[in-house]
Amino acid sequence: MNKISIGQSELMASQISLGIMRMNALSVEEAKMVIETAISEGIDHFDHADIYGKGASETIFGQAFKKLGISRDSVILQTKTGIVPGIMYDFSKEHIIQSVEESLTRLQTDYVDTLLLHRPDALVEPEEVAEAFDELEKSGKVRTFGVSNHNPLQIELLKKFVNQPLIINQLQLSLTHTPMIDAGLNVNRMEAGSVLHEGQLIDYSRINDMTIQPWSPFQSGNGKKGLFFDHPDYLELNKVVNEMAKEKGVAREAIAIAWLLRHPAKMQPIVGTMNPDRIKAITKATEVSLSREEWYKLYLSGGKMLP
């Protein structure tokens, strides 16, 4: 698998990241198999968060990774902080630093390669965030920083105070959840797709050299639950995806990921499966070449229209 540059950093990572949210449901032995499979398929980037499995996902990953005896420097570990589930968001200096310390203990490592602020905090005091980032960088506990689900002005506010480049924005994007793309195509129109929900994030990210990490790449959009695969509301999309998968000799999941990889923004999709066979199938996306016409055909089959 080819590697991509992550934002304005020296980090080079696999085109696909493995999200560890569901690892808390696995035994350590099962987790070892998942990690081993991912690495053998070329994935060296692992996405965590302090809240995944109430911390258990990081704990199991840390135990499994240690048992595998893999060099820490051969992988990139990313975690997120800022959500206090069901209660509040917390970007205070105290919470950020304490969260990182706890993540490092669970992951059994001295540092994480990247720390993301996990969804915006309405009460953010960017001066505190800056102090936390400086302390974590100086101590060597965090090497690079970014955000998740932030819009351009929220990022600009942080950048006014934070000394480190913000190299990543983790955002929901899939064949059926495309507001970032819809708005860019429907400029100066009155249709629903013209509504600018997030401040033209794709263009902002490209201008500012921020890597977009699409999350939930197989989830249904527009508030619908479950995967879009075999979903009754997406019959045409499934027909096109299945036909293209058959033609190219890959799984349908690989087509959905290849659609994201085809975008010139050089995104790094995060996939959350804990099934080794599915990991193998998904990584074939990096070998799939989609033409411009095929990319738009997939986009339109999800129920979109061109102006």
Side-chain angles (χ1 to χ4, degrees):
M1 182 184 300
N2 292 331
K3 293 192 175 186
I4 61 171
S5 298
I6 305 298
Q8 306 169 46
S9 73
E10 296 180 356
L11 289 180
M12 297 291 294
S14 52
Q15 291 175 285
I16 296 172
S17 172
L18 186 66
I20 308 299
M21 185 172 69
R22 299 179 179 88
M23 189 162 277
N24 63 302
L26 306 184
S27 67
V28 173
E29 288 303 310
E30 289 170 331
K32 280 174 58 181
M33 187 178 298
V34 168
I35 298 168
E36 217 167 16
T37 300
I39 291 174
S40 69
E41 294 297 314
I43 294 175
D44 63 5
H45 191 282
F46 298 91
D47 175 65
H48 299 266
D50 55 355
I51 62 168
Y52 290 166
K54 298 181 179 179
S57 293
E58 287 185 331
T59 297
I60 293 171
F61 180 94
Q63 293 171 350
F65 189 81
K66 185 175 182 179
K67 286 193 172 186
L68 285 169
I70 299 168
S71 169
R72 169 65 182 87
D73 293 339
S74 67
V75 298
I76 295 172
L77 301 185
Q78 171 176 288
T79 195
K80 299 185 285 294
T81 184
I83 297 179
V84 182
I87 299 174
M88 62 181 179
Y89 299 112
D90 190 350
F91 285 1
S92 66
K93 177 182 177 181
E94 180 183 12
H95 180 82
I96 292 171
I97 291 176
Q98 181 180 343
S99 170
V100 170
E101 295 284 3
E102 292 172 354
S103 286
L104 294 177
T105 298
R106 290 190 292 263
L107 291 167
Q108 300 189 42
T109 184
D110 296 328
Y111 68 95
V112 290
D113 296 278
T114 308
L115 175 69
L116 306 185
L117 298 176
H118 201 177
R119 293 195 177 277
D121 176 8
L123 301 181
V124 61
E125 296 183 57
E127 300 93 335
E128 277 202 55
V129 174
E131 289 178 12
F133 282 11
D134 285 345
E135 189 170 317
L136 290 167
E137 181 183 50
K138 185 177 180 180
S139 66
K141 293 175 181 178
V142 178
R143 295 188 169 180
T144 60
F145 300 85
V147 297
S148 174
N149 305 292
H150 279 57
N151 67 35
L153 285 181
Q154 290 168 331
I155 295 168
E156 286 297 314
L157 176 61
L158 288 169
K159 285 168 66 175
K160 181 179 178 180
F161 296 91
V162 170
N163 295 310
Q164 299 79 10
L166 299 176
I167 65 172
I168 288 167
N169 197 357
Q170 203 171 99
L171 299 157
Q172 185 176 5
L173 181 62
S174 72
L175 275 165
T176 55
H177 185 88
T178 58
M180 288 188 287
I181 292 171
D182 302 341
L185 289 171
N186 289 279
V187 174
N188 198 33
R189 306 284 294 185
M190 295 296 291
E191 290 86 347
S194 69
V195 177
L196 198 61
H197 291 275
E198 34 56 39
Q200 210 58 44
L201 264 168
I202 291 180
D203 295 328
Y204 176 87
S205 299
R206 294 177 74 179
I207 290 167
N208 290 277
D209 296 319
M210 293 185 75
T211 295
I212 292 175
Q213 292 180 334
W215 55 269
S216 289
F218 309 129
Q219 287 294 319
S220 301
N222 303 317
K224 297 181 175 71
K225 294 183 179 181
L227 304 181
F228 59 73
F229 296 125
D230 301 322
H231 197 294
D233 290 346
Y234 297 110
L235 296 178
E236 180 63 20
L237 173 62
N238 276 279
K239 177 185 175 185
V240 173
V241 168
N242 290 337
E243 287 174 352
M244 211 170 283
K246 183 177 180 181
E247 175 189 337
K248 297 182 182 294
V250 296
R252 57 188 181 177
E253 291 89 347
I255 296 298
I257 296 298
W259 184 79
L260 295 169
L261 294 176
R262 172 62 177 83
H263 197 284
K266 298 179 181 177
M267 303 178 189
Q268 185 191 37
I270 297 173
V271 298
T273 181
M274 294 289 101
N275 183 317
D277 290 334
R278 202 161 177 234
I279 291 172
K280 293 177 182 178
I282 289 170
T283 55
K284 298 300 180 186
T286 61
E287 302 170 13
V288 173
S289 177
L290 292 181
S291 67
R292 183 181 297 264
E293 183 177 354
E294 287 172 327
W295 188 91
Y296 274 102
K297 184 176 182 179
L298 286 163
Y299 173 75
L300 295 172
S301 69
K304 307 296 181 179
M305 295 183 66
L306 296 179

